Amino acid sequence: MRYMGLDFGDKTVGVALSDERGLIAQPYETIERERANKLRRTYARIEEIIVSEGVTEIVLGFPKNMNNTEGERVKLTEEFKENLERRTRLPIHLVDERLTTVAADRVLSDMDVAKKDRKTYIDKVAAALILETFLGTLSNSANSED
């Protein structure tokens, strides 16, 4: 199983991939676009990565508000998910992404990445954290079945 983690934002999509055994999440790339509603090239790039890297399932960050309510960003993410499912025909898992960008910024800070350079990495690191959360859930489920 090879998983792809996605952090869907207004003008970027952070991408992370698991190793081929589905155990470790690593940042892969950030897909950028000029406007929020221009997604054709974004979908095409995701499809290219799926084919070239042998992705079998997708994990998408689900942006609930801190008080657990669903705002406008959730609606846009659900639309993105539906379109991606239709295009790729792969299973897509939603994972709570609250505070992943904050955590990603902390990781980059701990790695001594200059504040001005963090924008380059933050979305794909956030995607890796989303994917890592999902992989951890899978691992915990497998361990509890033993």
Side-chain angles (χ1 to χ4, degrees), residues 1-68:
M1 299 294 274
R2 188 129 200 222
Y3 298 93
M4 172 187 278
L6 299 174
D7 180 30
F8 176 63
D10 284 332
K11 293 190 177 181
T12 62
V13 176
V15 180
L17 293 176
S18 74
D19 63 317
E20 292 177 358
R21 294 176 49 204
L23 300 174
I24 300 168
Q26 294 185 337
Y28 187 77
E29 77 175 60
T30 300
I31 303 168
E32 297 184 22
R33 61 189 182 281
E34 290 182 27
R35 293 200 321 238
N37 61 348
K38 296 289 186 182
L39 289 164
R40 187 174 45 85
R41 288 188 184 143
T42 299
Y43 290 125
R45 179 63 187 138
I46 290 170
E47 291 169 315
E48 288 171 4
I49 297 168
I50 288 168
V51 171
S52 68
E53 300 295 337
V55 172
T56 56
E57 296 188 33
I58 298 170
V59 178
L60 176 61
F62 195 61
K64 282 189 168 183
N65 295 322
M66 290 304 291
N67 65 0
N68 208 32

Side-chain angles (χ1 to χ4, degrees), residues 80-140:
F80 180 75
K81 176 185 181 277
E82 289 170 13
N83 289 329
L84 202 52
E85 281 174 327
R86 192 169 36 258
R87 291 178 71 119
T88 66
R89 305 234 184 268
L90 292 179
I92 300 178
H93 309 275
L94 294 174
V95 171
D96 187 343
E97 70 166 32
R98 286 178 278 189
L99 298 179
T100 54
T101 301
V102 172
D105 189 59
R106 191 174 310 123
V107 166
L108 292 168
S109 175
D110 291 347
M111 294 173 57
D112 291 326
V113 175
K115 199 163 188 76
K116 64 181 175 61
D117 296 330
R118 291 183 198 164
K119 185 169 177 23
T120 304
Y121 304 103
I122 198 154
D123 295 313
K124 60 186 171 185
V125 171
L129 293 172
I130 291 165
L131 182 53
E132 191 175 86
T133 298
F134 177 78
L135 296 175
T137 303
L138 287 180
S139 177
N140 290 339

